[in-house]
Amino acid sequence: MPSLFDPIQLGAIQSPNRILMAPLTRGRADKQAVPTDIMVDYYTQRASAGLIISEATGISREGLGWPFAPGLWTDAQVEAWKPVPASVHAAGGRIIAQLWHMGRQVHSSVIGGQPVSSSATATAGEAHTYEGKQAFETARPLTLDEIPRLLEDYALATKNALAAGFDGVQVHSANGYLLDQFLRDNANFRDDRYGGSVENRIRLMREVVERVASVAGADRTSIRLSPNGESQGVNDSNPQPLFVAAAKALDEIGIAFLELREPGPEGTFGRTDVPKLSPAIRQVFNGPLVLNSDYTTVDAAQAAIDRGVADAVSFGRPFIANPDLPARLRSGAPLAESEMRTWYSRGPEGYIDFPALETAAA
């Protein structure tokens, strides 16, 4: 069996190890979703990851409701992103952009209009806004004649990601966001070709990935799914046939890799008793399979690879306080801890002020 520290081919991208950096929302862009200079340092510090998957990045104002998150739909955003991949590449790293449409998980005060979703539903709880937390609003269903426009939004964001220098893209289809709202039956009540049957509910996901792959190439296209358990109010009554069908469709497209966020009963965030579906998905998806959620040790990650269910593991929160995480995992050094209060704050504290192992030791 390969080691966590062995190289792996992820489509067109040669990764020197199997320790990927998972997408992590950090809120350091400006109000126009334009990346800021501090983000160059942040990503460059983490260039030793086998592959960096960027923080979730909006494909449009309609789809981006998280305060101070970055986008990829304007020229100004593209120009501001360019130093990030350039610096990561100069440091020997690889980085792809995660493309994000939040669907109903936004507030009109941020996006300037009513949220959209698969159906007229609302998430329980409150949305993050520039004016503090506000109750989620009922979304309106996307109409059939809006779907081509949505696909073009994904295509433009993909084109812009490549123009900014990213090595590829990942479609965010997990965690209760727009594509997940179409996939799962407690949020999708449509009676057209995008609702009802499993085949219909995976249709938009497949069309988005096909459109993105037509721009970036399938070998530079990946996707993230969250197949087991509730996520931000989105769930499914029978997830296995749904996500096995989704994985089979993705395999037919020939994407670079599939990432699965799979929390368990002991998870820090999104814990669930719903069995993990990666073994079933492994039977129909023949490309590299990347597992994510609450991996913090070499032993746990290596065990997933040894079982043959994973080809690589993406680490999330450990990368916040450990910019040189692969070196720390290889050496067995203790991991530093981050503080939640700085995860989404605006400045360098808790963002670029964590020292690498050698500096910390000195």
Side-chain angles (χ1 to χ4, degrees):
M1 287 291 177
S3 161
L4 192 63
F5 303 99
D6 287 338
I8 183 173
Q9 193 72 33
L10 300 171
I13 300 170
Q14 174 69 31
S15 171
N17 61 60
R18 295 165 189 245
I19 302 168
L20 277 58
M21 179 175 163
L24 293 160
T25 295
R26 300 305 309 275
R28 261 68 175 192
D30 68 18
K31 278 193 173 183
Q32 286 70 49
V34 175
T36 56
D37 292 344
I38 197 174
M39 294 167 61
V40 179
D41 292 338
Y42 170 74
Y43 283 110
T44 305
Q45 289 173 353
R46 289 151 181 82
S48 63
L51 173 66
I52 296 171
I53 306 171
S54 84
E55 63 203 280
T57 302
I59 63 167
S60 64
R61 182 76 275 173
E62 171 194 82
L64 183 61
W66 190 277
F68 299 110
L72 267 170
W73 70 86
T74 71
D75 291 343
Q77 292 162 356
V78 174
E79 289 303 310
W81 267 119
K82 284 182 178 180
V84 173
S87 185
V88 169
H89 292 155
R94 294 135 296 275
I95 183 170
I96 63 174
Q98 190 189 60
L99 306 182
W100 199 21
H101 192 302
M102 298 175 69
R104 72 184 192 184
Q105 310 284 4
V106 301
H107 194 272
S108 59
S109 67
V110 179
I111 67 170
Q114 185 179 8
V116 299
S117 185
S118 55
S119 301
T121 61
T123 303
E126 296 177 313
H128 293 273
T129 78
Y130 290 110
E131 289 75 43
K133 291 187 176 181
Q134 301 188 58
F136 281 110
E137 302 157 311
T138 299
R140 65 172 182 83
L142 275 170
T143 63
L144 285 177
D145 60 5
E146 288 181 291
I147 299 295
R149 185 266 300 166
L150 178 70
L151 297 178
E152 287 308 305
D153 287 344
Y154 275 99
L156 175 61
T158 303
K159 178 182 176 182
N160 286 343
L162 299 178
F166 286 98
D167 298 301
V169 295
Q170 181 182 77
V171 174
H172 197 340
S173 187
N175 299 6
Y177 296 118
L178 180 68
L179 297 183
D180 207 17
Q181 293 159 28
F182 271 80
L183 286 173
R184 300 207 260 181
D185 62 12
N186 86 328
N188 185 340
F189 304 110
R190 301 175 75 98
D191 58 6
D192 58 20
R193 65 179 183 271
Y194 292 95
S197 68
V198 164
E199 180 183 5
N200 282 354
R201 283 184 281 130
I202 70 171
R203 189 184 307 277
L204 183 60
M205 178 211 72
R206 189 183 70 241
E207 290 179 350
V208 166
V209 174
E210 288 173 340
R211 189 71 182 92
V212 166
S214 75
V215 177
D219 60 354
R220 294 187 182 275
T221 299
S222 63
I223 190 169
R224 171 180 261 218
L225 299 173
S226 51
N228 68 309
E230 180 271 339
S231 185
Q232 299 196 92
V234 176
N235 209 344
D236 195 80
S237 62
N238 192 11
Q240 181 158 331
L242 169 66
F243 284 100
V244 167
K248 185 176 181 181
L250 294 166
D251 185 70
E252 292 169 354
I253 296 170
I255 61 172
F257 67 92
L258 168 58
E259 184 193 18
L260 302 179
R261 181 180 180 273
E262 290 195 309
E266 305 302 323
T268 306
F269 289 90
R271 66 186 64 182
T272 178
D273 292 323
V274 178
K276 296 182 179 183
L277 295 181
S278 47
I281 287 172
R282 184 62 143 174
Q283 299 304 308
V284 299
F285 185 78
N286 296 302
L289 192 62
V290 179
L291 297 188
N292 166 264
S293 195
D294 297 301
Y295 286 96
T296 58
T297 68
V298 169
D299 289 347
Q302 187 63 52
I305 293 174
D306 291 345
R307 291 196 306 272
V309 72
D311 297 296
V313 171
S314 62
F315 291 76
R317 291 182 300 278
F319 260 111
I320 293 177
N322 301 277
D324 56 344
L325 183 64
R328 289 178 185 254
L329 293 177
R330 184 186 284 274
S331 68
L335 299 184
E337 296 289 337
S338 61
E339 295 185 51
M340 187 181 292
R341 68 177 181 84
T342 64
W343 286 358
Y344 313 117
S345 57
R346 298 286 299 132
E349 183 186 5
Y351 191 63
I352 59 170
D353 57 351
F354 293 106
L357 188 61
E358 299 84 354
T359 305

